[in-house]
């Protein structure tokens, strides 16, 4: 059993931290001057003795790591990162986590009975260790069987999201290239983070907006008189980035704090809870009932219209469809309800007078609206985004510096101008030109080849069902095998118990990861990849600012039997004789060097980069600051030439295209729609009075780093994920800070730790997403021992338009847990068993 | 009756022959080839375009 | 003058009296041998790398070549200047040698005497060589690199497919392998080197008046034959009809759609689809004598009135091709490479032509594409969207 080796492992960990403690005083005498910033000799060529400082990059930023005795013993933020995240403290714990996958593992019953195994046993976490060759033979054999038996509609390659960073090793490309060489698969459209936003916004503002570079912070700070953070928490969310994060936005937020204190800018955070950003900025707050933002916006719009505060000229020149929207706003449409502030106040909990005040404030001076993503992860999540754009259009400041609307200033340092330099490419995801897969069939038997990612579980439960999606019909394919690589399906997808049932329809599940996530627990074959700190790579520094290129030195050799994804998938392709084509005959460092040289060539003399050897030694190359810009300024300047990407080229307050789809849950203009469950007097609130928000976590990147024990210890309560709850709600239930709680609804139940905080209003609790799922057993309804919010959330589409996730439409009840306390099962890997 | 051949005649025959064989004709040859080249180049510029395969 | 002619006539007509026929022929024969040998020697001497670089102008080129695979390599087999730059056929070689007089002249007058001056002319000089290679199918390269003797399986996997295709088409090496021996000239305006292939494809188009073509690259539109009055810009892959060609100019007809809202400056390829084919100046777009409105109808998806329009413009001669396929090849390549860095690129036919602009502009910030390439890729996506590809679900 694993316990024995785990103890040894923990001992090793203790030893490592001891080394870390004594290190500076004993081990590096006379080395004190060699600060990491000096770029003290790194990486290649260090020979057998790999100790010393090395450069690394991550979603959490760049850092230098000190290696001693072949272990990572110290992590220091990159010297050019002025606002490093606390999460760097979790790096060592991530590498040496007891949850690391050590060996290729196969689920016990699957090993016995293969694709005819008892799939109801999935989740019992009993696995058998196998060799790499056995494991890859099994995966390859299954791919062969599925392509031959079912064809491409039988195999699903899961969406790859927040893979570990590094442009060469980026695991999704490796998985999709290797599997793509073998045959076609069922793939996904959209993503979990911004599913509704990225579908609705192209109809309204002509771009996904959620991933678009926004107005530069310096222009916002210079021109804005009011900034409205609408359900946006940049101070929390800017800690992580899609590529290596630079944390440059924090400098501007710091300035903003000063401007608020000097009363130069007024900042209002419209949010049910007091966010980290609000606490940091010490800005104003506007409470709003959960999920009722659209009602509040309609109330503001009504005031703007009735008090003639809106910019008619802007609407005439730059927008279409205000006339079709007006009857709804004024109460002359079918519902015969004017969306007055009084009407809105009854729903959203903001007094009518305050709504009018907000409208006047926004119209009076330059106002920048900044939206977060969480409000589009709810039922009808398209509506708040659309209505936000309508509000911004009525204010008429779109295209002006410090005005208009942004949907992404909390993401990957958007708002820091791009340097203009080219960034390194990546390992090719596609097959090389002219190459065909081993199984070239594209016969999906009438099923859709691409499904909205959030409907992947529905496809297992109701294969063949035809659903609406963004103006087209999707026929859910009955896939029988799924491959997940560097993606934790059992974190991001809603409703665990529904998933448990659905996964029984899967014959074979493969998970490639570095750590034993719940997706591994519910898989049949698990392949151990190494972490990004155990391979050489390069990455862009700053996804949007393109600040530079960063070297990612291999800090230590892959732990246990783990391997880089590149090697895993090259070995897989070797099984059908296409490994050379897969790797193009190149090894890791050749690839890294080639990606660098291509980038260097592209940047030419405009952004000079040193030769590779010099770069690798130094660890980074930085580019100068770019020119600030204003979102949609070109459109405002000339709406005809610089037309928006909407069907008309203008801002579409009313979309005929959407109206023509005739979706009841997403009509032709933004509307207030009641949710299927809503707190504060909404449906089902009597039975489950608390709204549970599952926002992006403060000390994790989704589910990444949840397994980093030292970091988890800083926030977990009684070893469980904290549930943030208001003092009022706690008192009502006799709950004290630190208590063990059971949070539950009809869909599931989880054990959590009570974190009583005055930041939360009555009726609102927060369980941050990314908490690992640790059920007591494989049975449906089993108690989750750690506190994964998706044990409780519902798996429904936002609407027929986007079919995105609705995680934030979720009501729960909370009680003090009094039963026998089960141990946390989420971490520590599988139960290793010996086959008979 | 035979005309008296001036002694210079044989000398000049030799001179002429050598001049023609070693200077006159080689120079002419080079000149003609050059001319050919120039004509061809001219034709390429005007009509043919660059030489094909 | 007459004297010389008579002397020459006598020289050839009067038999020699004192020198025996045998001696004459023998001396002539020997002189012939020597002359021919001398000629060949001279040709060879002027066909050596040493001779080429004896003018210092050429020394820079040699320095550039050194670090490339054609300058130094593990087997030590390298070409000299003439191996690539002088035709191997007698006639072409002689013509080339005579052409070199220009180079000697440029050298003497100092036209390309310094590195900077050379750089200023590099594009023109390179273009001369590219044209030559284009015409002879890179014959000089292929004296060593013979398609029929290539073992494709031994190539790097990434090279195999393009090389197989090139061999099948008997393609000229220089179509792809530019700038491998000497530095690439600074190609102004077209940042994307793939666009060069479009320029070349357009160059080989035989244009006939009255036929329809595809515009190869974005460029200026004029309202007059003298190309003096700018009228706007025609986009890449825009279908057009060539009416007539006059010197450096050609008259073209554009048939397109536009929205009636605004000035009608942006023209689109299809009714109701935002696929931009041209953008006109304000005055031009409003000029009723220039722009003929053929029909008007309402777009059901936006409620805007669209007008079918026709106009005649002038452009520089050429720059058109018979098929848009080479353009789409370039675009497809860019799309697949640039858009798979972060995620799997969506199926092109998964969205319609009016949805693509919104999605594309939302994501393109992550890529390294320059403006022209962005416009090209977007156009590719739109033209291959679900509006056109009905096989998609």
């Amino acid at each position: 059993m694993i316990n024995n080796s785990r103890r040894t492992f923990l001992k090793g960990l203790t030893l490592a931290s001891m080394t870390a403690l004594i290190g500076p005083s004993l081990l590096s005498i006379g080395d004190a001057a060699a600060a990491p910033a000096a770029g003290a000799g790194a990486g290649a060529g260090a020979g057998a003795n790999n100790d010393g400082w090395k450069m690394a990059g991550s979603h959490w930023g760049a850092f230098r790591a000190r290696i001693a005795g072949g272990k990572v013993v110290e992590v220091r933020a990159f010297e050019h990162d002025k606002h490093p995240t606390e999460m760097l403290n979790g790096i060592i714990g991530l590498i040496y986590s007891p949850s690391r996958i050590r060996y290729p593992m196969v689920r016990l019953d699957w090993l016995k009975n293969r694709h005819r195994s008892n799939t109801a046993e999935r989740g019992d976490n009993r696995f058998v260790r196998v060799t790499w060759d056995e494991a890859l033979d099994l995966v390859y054999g299954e791919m062969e069987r599925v392509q031959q038996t079912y064809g491409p509609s039988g195999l699903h390659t899961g969406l790859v999201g927040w893979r570990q960073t590094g442009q060469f090793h980026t695991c999704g490309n490796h998985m999709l290239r290797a599997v793509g060489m073998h045959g076609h698969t069922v793939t996904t459209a959209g993503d979990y983070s911004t599913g509704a936003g990225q579908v609705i916004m192209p109809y309204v503002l002509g771009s996904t907006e959620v991933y678009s570079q926004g107005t530069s912070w310096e222009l916002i700070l210079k021109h804005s008189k009011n900034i409205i953070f609408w359900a946006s928490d940049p101070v929390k969310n800017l800690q992580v980035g899609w590529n290596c994060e630079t944390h440059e936005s924090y400098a501007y937020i710091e300035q903003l704090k000063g401007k608020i204190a000097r009363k130069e800018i007024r900042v209002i955070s419209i949010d049910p809870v007091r966010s980290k950003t609000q606490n940091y900025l010490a800005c104003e707050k506007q409470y709003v009932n959960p999920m009722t933002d659209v009602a509040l916006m309609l109330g503001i719009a009504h005031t703007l219209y009735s008090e003639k505060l809106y910019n008619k000229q802007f609407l005439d020149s730059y927008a279409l469809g205000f006339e079709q929207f007006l009857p709804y706003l004024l109460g002359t449409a079918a519902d015969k309800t004017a969306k007055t502030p009084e009407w809105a106040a009854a729903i959203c909990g903001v007094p009518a007078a305050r709504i009018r005040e907000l409208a006047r404030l926004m119209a009076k001076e330059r106002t920048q609206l900044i939206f977060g993503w969480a409000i589009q992860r709810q039922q009808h999540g398209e509506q708040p985004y659309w209505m936000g754009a309508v509000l911004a259009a009525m204010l008429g400041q779109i295209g002006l510096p410090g005005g208009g609307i942004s949907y992404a200033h909390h993401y990957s340092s958007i708002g820091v101008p791009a340097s203009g330099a080219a960034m390194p490419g990546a390992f090719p995801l596609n097959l090389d030109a002219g190459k065909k897969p081993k199984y070239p069939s594209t016969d999906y038997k009438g099923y859709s080849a691409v499904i909205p990612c959030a409907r992947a579980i529905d496809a297992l439960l109701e294969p063949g069902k035809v659903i609406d999606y963004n103006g087209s019909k999707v026929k859910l394919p009955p896939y029988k095998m799924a491959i997940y690589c560097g993606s934790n399906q059992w974190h991001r997808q809603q409703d665990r118990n529904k998933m448990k049932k659905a996964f029984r329809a899967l014959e074979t599940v493969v998970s490639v990861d570095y750590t034993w996530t719940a997706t591994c627990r519910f898989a049949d074959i698990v392949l151990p990849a190494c972490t990004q700190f155990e391979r050489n790579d390069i990455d862009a520094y700053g996804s949007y600012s393109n600040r530079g290129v960063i070297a990612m030195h291999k800090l230590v050799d892959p732990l246990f039997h783990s391997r880089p994804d590149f090697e895993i998938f090259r070995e897989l392709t070797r099984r059908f004789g296409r490994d050379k084509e897969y790797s193009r005959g190149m090894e890791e460092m050749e690839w890294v060097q080639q990606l660098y040289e291509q980038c260097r060539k592209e940047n030419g003399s405009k952004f000079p980069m040193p030769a590779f050897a010099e770069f690798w030694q130094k660890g980074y190359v930085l580019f100068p600051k770019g020119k600030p810009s204003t979102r949609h300024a070109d459109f405002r300047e000339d709406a005809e030439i610089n037309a928006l990407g909407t069907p008309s080229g203008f801002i579409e307050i009313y979309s005929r295209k959407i109206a023509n789809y005739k979706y009841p849950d997403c009509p032709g203009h933004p509307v207030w729609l009641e949710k299927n469950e809503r707190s504060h007097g909404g449906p089902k609130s009597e039975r489950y009075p608390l709204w549970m928000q599952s926002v992006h976590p403060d000390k994790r990147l989704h589910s990444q780093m949840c397994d980093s024990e030292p970091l988890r210890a800083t926030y977990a309560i009684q070893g469980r994920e904290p549930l943030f709850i208001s003092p009022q709600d706690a008192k009502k239930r006799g709950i004290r800070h630190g208590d063990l709680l059971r949070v539950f609804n009809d869909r599931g139940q989880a054990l959590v730790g009570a974190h009583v905080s005055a930041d939360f209003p009555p009726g609102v609790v927060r369980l941050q997403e990314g908490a690992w799922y640790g059920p007591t057993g494989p049975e449906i309804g089993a108690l989750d021992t750690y506190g994964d919010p998706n044990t409780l959330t519902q798996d429904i589409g936002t609407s027929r338009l986007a079919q995105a996730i609705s995680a934030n439409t979720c009501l729960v009840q909370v009680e003090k847990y009094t039963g026998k306390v089960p141990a946390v099962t989420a971490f520590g890997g599988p139960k290793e068993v010996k086959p008979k | 009756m035979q005309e008296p051949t001036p002694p210079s005649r044989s000398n000049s025959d030799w001179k002429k022959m050598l001049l023609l064989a070693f200077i006159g004709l080689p120079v002419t040859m080079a000149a003609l080839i050059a001319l050919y080249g120039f004509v061809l180049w001219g034709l390429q510029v005007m009509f043919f375009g660059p030489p094909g395969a | 003058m007459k004297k010389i002619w008579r002397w020459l006539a006598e020289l050839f007509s009067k038999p020699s009296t004192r020198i025996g026929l045998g001696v004459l022929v023998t001396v002539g024969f020997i002189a012939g041998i020597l002359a021919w040998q001398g000629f060949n020697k001279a040709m060879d001497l002027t066909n050596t790398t040493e001779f080429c670089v004896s003018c210092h102008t050429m020394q820079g080129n040699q320095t550039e070549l050194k670090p490339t695979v054609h300058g130094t390599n593990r087997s030590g087999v390298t070409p000299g200047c003439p191996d690539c730059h002088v035709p191997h056929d007698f006639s072409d070689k002689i013509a080339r040698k005579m052409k070199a007089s220009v180079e000697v002249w440029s050298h003497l007058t100092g036209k390309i005497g310094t590195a900077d001056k050379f750089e200023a002319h590099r594009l023109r000089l390179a273009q001369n060589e590219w044209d030559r290679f284009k015409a002879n199918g890179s014959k000089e390269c292929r004296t060593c690199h013979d398609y029929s003797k290539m073992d494709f399986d031994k190539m790097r996997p990434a090279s195999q497919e393009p090389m197989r295709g090139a061999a099948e088409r008997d393609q000229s090496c220089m179509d792809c392998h530019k700038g491998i021996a000497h530095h690439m000239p600074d190609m102004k305006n077209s940042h994307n080197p793939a666009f060069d292939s479009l320029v070349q494809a357009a160059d080989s188009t035989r244009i006939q008046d009255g036929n329809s073509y595809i515009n190869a690259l974005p460029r200026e539109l004029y309202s007059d034959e003298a190309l003096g009055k700018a009228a706007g810009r025609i986009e890449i892959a825009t279908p057009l009809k060539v009416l007539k060609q006059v010197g450096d100019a050609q008259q073209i007809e554009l048939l397109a759609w536009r929205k009636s809202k605004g000035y009608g400056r942006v023209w689109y390829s299809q009714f109701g689809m935002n696929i931009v084919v041209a953008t006109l100046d304000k005055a031009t777009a409003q000029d009723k004598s220039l722009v003929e409105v053929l029909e008007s109808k309402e777009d059901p998806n936006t409620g805007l009135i669209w007008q079918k329009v026709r106009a005649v413009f002038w452009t520089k001669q050429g720059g058109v091709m018979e098929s848009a396929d080479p353009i789409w090849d370039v675009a497809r390549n860019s799309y697949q490479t640039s858009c798979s860095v972060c995620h799997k690129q969506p199926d092109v036919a998964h969205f319609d032509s009016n949805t693509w602009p919104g999605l594309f502009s939302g994501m393109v910030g992550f890529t390294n594409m320059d403006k022209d390439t962005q416009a090209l890729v977007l156009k590719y996506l739109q033209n291959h969207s679900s509006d056109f590809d009905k096989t998609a679900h």
Side-chain angles (χ1 to χ4, degrees), chain B residues 16-32, chain C residues 11-12 28 31-32 35:
Chain B
K16 278 184 202 160
M17 181 187 77
L18 292 174
L19 199 72
L20 194 63
F22 289 96
I23 296 171
L25 288 176
V27 168
T28 312
M29 175 186 80
L32 283 175
Chain C
L11 179 65
F12 279 90

Side-chain angles (χ1 to χ4, degrees), chain A residues 185-438:
Chain A
T185 68
V186 173
T187 58
T188 58
D191 62 33
Y192 285 84
S193 299
T194 65
Q198 63 178 269
V199 171
I200 184 68
M201 292 323 291
Y203 289 98
V204 180
L205 288 178
S207 133
T208 63
E209 294 296 319
V210 290
Y211 298 130
S212 304
Q213 176 63 285
T215 302
S216 305
W217 275 111
E218 46 197 299
L219 294 176
I220 294 178
L221 292 176
K222 194 171 159 200
H223 297 279
S224 297
K225 287 284 170 278
N226 306 303
I227 298 176
I228 313 286
F229 285 113
W230 206 307
S232 177
D233 196 352
V235 173
K236 166 167 70 71
N237 293 322
L238 285 167
Q239 296 179 87
V240 298
W242 177 250
N243 293 92
C244 189
E245 181 49 46
T246 62
H247 303 117
E248 290 166 279
S249 292
Y250 284 101
Y252 299 104
I253 293 178
E254 220 167 59
Q255 289 179 39
L256 181 59
K257 186 181 166 81
K259 283 182 181 275
I260 295 170
R262 293 192 299 276
K263 304 218 181 303
E264 291 165 20
I265 297 182
R266 218 175 143 180
V267 175
I268 304 173
S269 168
I270 300 182
D271 203 312
V273 306
R274 200 182 295 149
S275 67
K276 191 177 184 183
T277 304
Q278 191 200 329
N279 282 329
Y280 172 81
L281 290 174
C283 66
E284 293 168 58
K285 169 178 176 57
Q286 179 53 58
Y287 168 84
V288 58
N289 280 341
M291 299 189 284
T292 63
D293 305 81
V294 173
L296 173 56
M297 287 183 231
L298 283 166
I300 293 173
H302 192 278
T303 308
L304 290 177
Y305 185 79
S306 55
E307 299 188 4
K308 299 206 165 39
L309 297 171
Y310 74 108
N311 189 333
K312 185 168 187 311
Q313 204 198 336
F314 182 86
L315 291 177
D316 287 344
S317 327
Y318 297 100
L320 280 185
F322 188 60
E323 315 75 47
Q324 284 102 316
F325 171 68
L326 264 184
Y328 173 76
L329 186 68
L330 302 178
T332 54
D335 66 344
K336 297 277 176 253
T337 310
K339 308 301 175 300
T340 60
E342 284 72 18
W343 167 85
I347 298 169
C348 70
V350 182
R354 174 66 173 163
I355 295 176
R356 291 201 169 84
E357 198 185 311
L358 282 171
R360 289 169 201 149
L361 175 84
M362 290 180 193
K364 194 177 154 207
E365 287 171 305
R366 191 67 60 83
T367 301
Q368 175 77 53
L369 300 173
I370 297 179
F371 276 64
W373 289 351
I375 52 167
Q376 48 92 55
R377 291 195 295 264
Q378 58 166 291
Q379 198 185 14
H380 316 127
E382 297 87 355
Q383 302 305 320
Y385 267 31
W386 196 349
M387 192 54 215
V390 172
L391 214 51
M394 289 178 77
L395 293 170
Q397 299 176 2
I398 291 174
L400 293 177
I405 187 162
S406 153
Y407 296 89
H409 269 79
H410 63 281
Y411 178 60
S412 292
S413 288
I414 273 177
V416 178
S419 66
M423 292 292 109
F427 181 77
L429 179 154
N430 297 301
L431 270 61
D432 292 335
K435 296 289 181 192
K436 293 265 175 295
K438 179 179 176 190

Side-chain angles (χ1 to χ4, degrees), chain A residues 472-492:
Chain A
S472 64
K473 298 278 181 196
V474 168
K475 189 174 182 187
L476 297 175
Y479 61 92
K480 298 291 179 193
M481 175 180 180
I483 303 179
Y484 301 100
C485 178
S487 59
N488 191 355
Q489 181 74 3
W490 284 75
H491 126 69
R492 61 192 181 183

Side-chain angles (χ1 to χ4, degrees), chain B residues 13 16-17 21 36 40-41 51-52, chain C residues 11 16 24 31 91 99 102 136:
Chain B
D13 264 6
K16 278 184 202 160
M17 181 187 77
Y36 172 68
L40 210 59
W41 175 28
Chain C
L11 179 65
S16 166
L24 275 176
S91 295
K99 202 177 161 187
V102 179
N136 71 8

Side-chain angles (χ1 to χ4, degrees), chain A residues 167 173 176 187 189 198 202 206-208 211-212 242 316-317 319-320 422-423 425-426 429-430 432-435 450 469 472-473 543-544 580-581 584-585 602 638 640-641 645-650 652 656-657 660, chain C residues 156-158 160-162 164 191 259 261-266 268 274 279-280 298-304 306 336-337 340-345 347 350-352 354-355 357-359 361-363 365-366 368 393:
Chain A
Q167 292 294 85
N173 289 23
L176 291 167
T187 58
Q198 63 178 269
S207 133
T208 63
Y211 298 130
S212 304
W242 177 250
D316 287 344
S317 327
L320 280 185
M423 292 292 109
L429 179 154
N430 297 301
D432 292 335
K435 296 289 181 192
V450 181
Y469 170 55
S472 64
K473 298 278 181 196
S543 297
Y544 290 88
K580 284 224 173 64
E581 176 196 334
R584 292 185 180 168
E602 214 159 328
D638 190 333
E640 196 170 14
I641 300 288
T646 56
S648 64
F650 298 95
E652 296 204 1
R656 281 203 186 202
K657 205 169 167 184
N660 289 343
Chain C
R156 267 184 303 170
Q160 292 177 10
E161 201 49 42
R164 275 210 178 94
H191 175 75
K259 298 167 188 171
K261 186 168 166 142
Y263 299 99
R265 278 177 296 166
V266 183
Y268 306 94
N274 296 322
T279 27
L280 306 183
E298 191 191 281
D299 171 23
N301 274 327
T302 60
L304 294 175
W306 284 58
Q336 291 184 346
T337 317
S340 64
V341 169
C342 303
H343 55 75
K344 185 166 173 59
Q345 74 283 2
D347 252 359
H350 195 73
F351 301 103
D352 66 29
N354 283 358
T355 301
L359 291 180
S361 68
M363 299 307 292
F366 274 110
N368 295 333
H393 69 83

Side-chain angles (χ1 to χ4, degrees), chain A residues 150-196:
Chain A
Y150 305 110
S153 60
L155 178 60
H156 171 53
T157 41
L159 170 73
V160 182
W162 287 77
R163 78 285 181 265
Q164 300 188 84
T165 59
Q167 292 294 85
F168 165 58
H169 285 291
T170 182
C171 65
N173 289 23
H174 287 278
M175 185 261 280
L176 291 167
R177 181 173 168 89
V179 176
M181 282 178 167
H182 187 262
H184 294 282
T185 68
V186 173
T187 58
T188 58
D191 62 33
Y192 285 84
S193 299
T194 65

Side-chain angles (χ1 to χ4, degrees), chain A residues 476-518:
Chain A
L476 297 175
Y479 61 92
K480 298 291 179 193
M481 175 180 180
I483 303 179
Y484 301 100
C485 178
S487 59
N488 191 355
Q489 181 74 3
W490 284 75
H491 126 69
R492 61 192 181 183
Q493 178 75 32
Q494 283 59 50
D495 201 340
R496 292 288 165 266
N497 288 313
K498 179 177 168 185
M499 285 182 77
K500 271 187 178 169
K501 186 168 172 230
F503 255 49
R504 291 180 181 171
L506 280 169
E507 293 170 352
T508 303
V509 181
V510 178
S511 175
V512 187
D513 214 318
Y514 66 87
T515 188
W516 196 268
T517 62

